[in-house]
Amino acid sequence: MTPGTAIATGLEAAITKWTIAGLGALLVAVTLFPWFTARNDGGSAQMAGWGAWTMTGDVNAGLRPLPLAVLVYLTVGVMVYGALRGAFGVAVVGAMATFAAGLLPLMVMPLVDRNTPGGSAVAVDVAAAPKLVIAVGLIASIVCWIGYARCVLRPSPRAEE
């Protein structure tokens, strides 16, 4: 490997590491948006990523807390840790797990609303955070795969004669 190739490879790996770390920070920031919204005639509510509901008015329903952002924090941590350590295969697994954690709210939406006896009907919707986690998680997965392919799977250079 020539010195110029080694510098280019090291620079490419460093840029990839910090790009993945930046995407991880963006994913953590995205989890601060609401995960679920609920509303009925008496009021509305929003669920934060750690599961706490903030209510306006009287929603008159049992809303279960689901701390889904904790799963995103764990998977983003794996992704960033793998990238910063140069283990891009681990970063790929973390990014794909983050994408999957973003899909969870769509699958567990029926678990959020618990009808109470004498309570009114409540409309529960997936809010902005899961959609943004899915979008940024997909981008992070693509970047991690490219980093893995460019920094790990790259064929070794031919020896100069």
Side-chain angles (χ1 to χ4, degrees), residues 110-144:
L111 297 176
V112 175
D113 181 23
R114 179 177 60 226
N115 292 327
T116 56
S120 60
V122 177
V124 178
D125 293 321
V126 175
K131 296 170 188 172
L132 292 171
V133 168
I134 291 169
V136 178
L138 179 63
I139 292 168
S141 295
I142 293 169
V143 168
C144 289

Side-chain angles (χ1 to χ4, degrees), residues 34-38 45-47 53 66 68 105 109 112 124-127:
W35 285 69
F36 289 104
T37 58
Q46 291 183 340
M47 188 186 86
W53 285 90
L66 294 173
L68 296 171
M109 195 166 64
V112 175
V124 178
D125 293 321
V126 175

Side-chain angles (χ1 to χ4, degrees), residues 11-28:
L11 181 62
E12 184 176 20
I15 290 171
T16 304
K17 288 178 186 182
W18 291 108
T19 301
I20 294 169
L23 286 169
L26 180 61
L27 278 162
V28 168

Side-chain angles (χ1 to χ4, degrees), residues 9-21 78-96 140-154:
T9 304
L11 181 62
E12 184 176 20
I15 290 171
T16 304
K17 288 178 186 182
W18 291 108
T19 301
I20 294 169
V78 168
M79 178 183 78
V80 172
Y81 175 79
L84 294 179
R85 300 286 295 170
F88 290 106
V90 174
V92 169
V93 171
M96 292 187 324
S141 295
I142 293 169
V143 168
C144 289
W145 271 111
I146 291 170
Y148 181 69
R150 297 288 298 174
C151 299
V152 177
L153 296 180
R154 173 183 288 173

Side-chain angles (χ1 to χ4, degrees), residues 21-110:
L23 286 169
L26 180 61
L27 278 162
V28 168
V30 159
T31 61
L32 300 176
F33 287 103
W35 285 69
F36 289 104
T37 58
R39 65 186 169 284
N40 66 1
D41 293 339
S44 64
Q46 291 183 340
M47 188 186 86
W50 55 89
W53 285 90
T54 56
M55 296 189 191
T56 305
D58 184 23
V59 178
N60 195 20
L63 299 171
R64 295 180 183 169
L66 294 173
L68 296 171
V70 174
L71 294 173
V72 174
Y73 297 148
L74 293 172
T75 57
V76 165
V78 168
M79 178 183 78
V80 172
Y81 175 79
L84 294 179
R85 300 286 295 170
F88 290 106
V90 174
V92 169
V93 171
M96 292 187 324
T98 301
F99 177 78
L103 293 174
L104 272 176
L106 301 173
M107 293 184 266
V108 300
M109 195 166 64

